[in-house]
Amino acid sequence: MIRYGSLIEGMERHLPDSIRRRLPPALDQWFFLKSADLWFPRYGIPTYGSGQAADMDLTFHAPAKYPLASSGRLVDSRVEGDVRTTHWVTERPAFVASFNVGPFTEYQITDPRIPPVTVHVNREAHIHLGALLLGQRDPDQIVGADVANSLAFFTRVFGPPLFKHYYATEIPYGHGQAFPGLIHLSWWTFRSFEENGIHEMFRAHEMAHQWWGIGVEPATYRDAWLSEGFADFAGLWYMQLVLNDNEKFFKHLKDWRRDIRARRGDALPTGLGVRVAEIQPRDYQVMVYEKGAWVLQMLRNLMLDFRTMKEDAFSDVMRDFYGQYRGRRATTRDFQRVVERHIDVPMDWFFDEWLNGTAIPTYILAWRAEPTPEHRYALHIRIRQEDVPRDFVMPVPIAIELAGGEHAYVRVNVRGPVTEATLQLPAEPTALELNPLESVLADVKTEGWD
Ligand SMILES: [Zn+2]
C-alpha cells in the first residue's frame, strides 16, 4: 500500500511491489522512524506549493554510538556521557525536513567533482544476512558509487546543487525519499540483487530531487511532475549516459509506455499532479513519475540534432531552467517559457497534449519508393494516426536506411487521421523506422501501401 501522507509530500519513490513490503533482516537491529515527514510542527500535510516553507532549527539528543543525519547544516556536535547532541540549521526555508538515526557505519565520500557525502549503512544487519559471504561488493560501495556519480552528473548537466554537504542514509522500508541535503534509501537498494537497473535509477532518482523538488520546488500541486517526472527522467538519463546502458534505458522507457497506455482513457492527466494521488492513488506513479519522464524524453528528442546526435539544445534548456529557478518555485508554464525561448516556437500544443490530455497515439506507417528520371528516388510516406483527437499533432522522426548503408533522418508533422509526404532521396531507401530512439510516446505499426 502507499503511505498516503508521504505520497502527497512527494519526493518519494517506491521500489516494485515485490520488494516494497519486504522487511529487512535482523529486525531488532533497525530503528523504524514513526514518520519521516510528519514529525515536525506544521499546518496540515506538507505538499508542493502549500506555502509552508519555514526556517528550521533542529537539536537532537541521541545515544552517542548511533550516527544521526538530518536536513540542514550541522553547526554543532558534542558528546556528554553517552549522549551526543547535534544542532542543525536549514540553510533556506524548507517545506519538509527529516532525519535518520541507527546502528550505522559511517562512510565519507570525497570526490573532487562533488560536495562531501556521508553514507550511513547498517553494516551489521547486512553482515547478518550474509551479504559479504556471498562475495558481493560492500553495501556502502554499491550505493556510494551511484550517489557520487549521479551527484557529479547532475551537477554537470543541471548546475551546482544547493547544499555543501549531503547525507545518504539507509531505512528499513521499500522506498526512498529526499529531503534538503538528505536522502533516505531503502535497505533493499544496499543489496542490489536485481540486475535490471532499477536500483541504479532509484538511487539517481532520489539524488536528482536535490535539483528537482528541492533545488527547484514545484509551485503548485499541478506541477508535481517537475519534481517526480524530472527525477525519473534524470534516473533514466543517468542510466544511459553515465552507466552507458542503452538497453536498460530503452527497456524502462518501453515498460513505462506499456504502463501509461494501459491506463489511458481512465487515468487522470499528468498535469493534475497531486490530485491524481488523491483521486486515483495507484495511477500517481504511472501518470506523474513515468509519463512525466516521458514528456522530457519527448522534448529531448524533439530538440535532438539528428545529423550530429548532439543533445546540447536540450541540456541547455535544463540548465537554464534550473539556473533561473534555483532556490525558488516554478510552474509548468515557467518551464514552457524557458523551452520556448530556446527553440523560438510556441509550445502550448505540446504541453497541452501531453500534460493536460491522456491520449496516446498509434501510428501506422506505409511507404513505397520509385526511381525518378533524375536518377533519384521518390519516397512516398503515409502515416495513419489513431486513438487521439483529430487535432492531435506531433513531429515524429523517421530513420531511413539507404542502399549503401547510409542513414537519413527526417521529422514528419503527423496531424489528423492521415499524413502523407513525399521525399526526394539520393539513393534507394531499403528500410524505414518510424519513431526511432523512442522519440514519441506512441505505438507504432506498419502496413502495406495498398
Ligand atoms: Zn521522487
Side-chain angles (χ1 to χ4, degrees):
M1 298 306 292
I2 288 164
R3 290 196 301 130
Y4 190 69
S6 292
L7 188 64
I8 297 302
E9 176 276 315
M11 291 183 290
E12 172 171 331
R13 202 187 202 305
H14 290 282
L15 288 165
D17 280 350
S18 54
I19 297 169
R20 189 190 294 180
R21 295 186 192 90
R22 265 186 234 210
L23 287 168
L27 279 178
D28 58 341
Q29 292 182 33
W30 296 86
F31 290 5
F32 292 81
L33 293 183
K34 286 180 80 171
S35 168
D37 47 30
L38 300 176
W39 58 282
F40 53 88
R42 78 215 122 72
Y43 294 113
I45 294 171
T47 184
Y48 299 129
S50 64
Q52 295 174 5
D55 293 316
M56 300 190 200
D57 190 304
L58 309 159
T59 301
F60 298 90
H61 307 282
K65 62 181 176 178
Y66 297 136
L68 182 145
S70 169
S71 295
R73 184 167 57 89
L74 180 64
V75 293
D76 189 37
S77 174
R78 61 199 147 77
V79 177
E80 281 172 43
D82 296 338
V83 175
R84 179 183 286 114
T85 299
T86 54
H87 180 196
W88 308 72
V89 178
T90 52
E91 295 187 72
R92 51 182 67 230
F95 75 103
V96 67
S98 195
F99 66 98
N100 195 21
V101 62
F104 296 128
T105 306
E106 184 167 283
Y107 296 91
Q108 306 294 345
I109 298 174
T110 46
D111 181 323
R113 301 170 300 168
I114 55 171
V117 182
T118 304
V119 180
H120 285 169
V121 54
N122 193 339
R123 198 175 178 79
E124 285 301 314
H126 285 286
I127 288 173
H128 204 84
L129 195 62
L132 303 176
L133 298 176
L134 294 173
Q136 281 192 331
R137 280 191 299 154
D138 287 351
D140 55 289
Q141 286 175 9
I142 295 171
V143 170
D146 286 321
V147 166
N149 290 332
S150 64
L151 194 53
F153 174 58
F154 299 147
T155 300
R156 184 160 62 79
V157 289
F158 301 139
L162 279 182
F163 304 109
K164 301 214 159 33
H165 193 134
Y166 289 86
Y167 289 86
T169 175
E170 185 172 17
I171 54 169
Y173 302 101
H175 69 271
Q177 197 167 356
F179 306 92
L182 169 73
I183 58 174
H184 283 174
L185 291 173
S186 166
W187 70 280
W188 191 258
T189 203
F190 285 79
R191 309 200 50 79
S192 271
F193 288 130
E194 290 82 1
E195 302 266 301
N196 59 7
I198 57 163
H199 286 290
E200 290 83 351
M201 289 170 47
F202 167 77
R203 299 189 281 255
H205 173 110
E206 294 307 335
M207 208 24 118
H209 276 310
Q210 299 299 332
W211 283 262
W212 310 115
I214 293 168
V216 177
E217 197 182 303
T220 76
Y221 71 89
R222 288 179 167 270
D223 307 307
W225 80 286
L226 296 180
S227 173
E228 299 302 351
F230 276 48
D232 255 11
F233 174 80
L236 276 177
W237 215 16
Y238 173 74
M239 175 57 72
Q240 188 182 32
L241 295 194
V242 179
L243 301 182
N244 280 315
D245 200 322
N246 254 328
E247 201 178 310
K248 287 176 190 162
F249 169 80
F250 285 117
K251 165 88 167 57
H252 282 93
L253 272 177
K254 287 173 187 165
D255 287 351
W256 294 355
R257 179 178 60 207
R258 190 196 55 224
D259 296 345
I260 297 161
R261 280 187 59 87
R263 294 296 300 144
R264 72 188 164 145
D266 292 318
L268 294 169
T270 307
L272 275 186
V274 174
R275 289 279 183 269
V276 179
E278 292 171 351
I279 298 165
Q280 294 175 334
R282 72 196 178 98
D283 286 337
Y284 190 55
Q285 190 129 323
V286 173
M287 296 309 290
V288 174
Y289 289 62
E290 297 178 0
K291 193 177 178 193
W294 253 106
V295 170
L296 279 191
Q297 162 71 4
M298 288 194 279
L299 196 59
R300 173 196 189 194
N301 280 18
L302 202 57
M303 302 177 75
L304 179 65
D305 183 336
F306 274 114
R307 280 173 303 127
T308 61
M309 288 294 167
K310 281 193 190 307
E311 55 179 330
D312 300 7
F314 173 72
S315 319
D316 289 349
V317 164
M318 298 302 283
R319 193 164 31 245
D320 193 8
F321 178 53
Y322 176 74
Q324 203 174 330
Y325 292 93
R326 182 176 183 269
R328 298 166 54 201
R329 293 179 174 180
T331 62
T332 301
R333 185 52 66 91
D334 293 329
F335 179 58
Q336 182 183 330
R337 270 195 285 265
V338 172
V339 174
E340 288 172 340
R341 202 170 58 239
H342 278 256
I343 63 177
D344 210 18
V345 174
M347 291 293 280
D348 301 271
W349 59 275
F350 176 87
F351 288 92
D352 200 41
E353 284 172 357
W354 297 109
L355 293 177
N356 298 333
T358 55
I360 308 293
T362 297
Y363 302 128
I364 303 140
L365 170 72
W367 64 278
R368 69 184 174 88
E370 60 196 9
T372 63
E374 307 86 48
H375 303 289
R376 295 168 67 89
Y377 281 84
L379 170 63
H380 303 286
I381 293 166
R382 183 183 71 218
I383 301 168
R384 293 198 296 113
Q385 176 170 250
E386 293 179 350
D387 303 329
V388 287
R390 280 188 74 84
D391 57 351
F392 197 96
V393 60
M394 188 68 190
V396 186
I398 302 178
I400 304 166
E401 191 179 316
L402 302 173
E406 267 186 281
H407 278 83
Y409 288 91
V410 292
R411 285 191 177 90
V412 176
N413 245 2
V414 177
R415 180 197 292 271
V418 182
T419 301
E420 289 181 304
T422 297
L423 306 172
Q424 300 297 325
L425 298 175
E428 184 179 9
T430 54
L432 261 66
E433 185 190 356
L434 183 63
N435 198 22
L437 305 176
E438 299 295 334
S439 298
V440 179
L441 174 54
D443 256 12
V444 173
K445 299 173 182 169
T446 55
E447 65 182 1
W449 184 261
D450 297 315

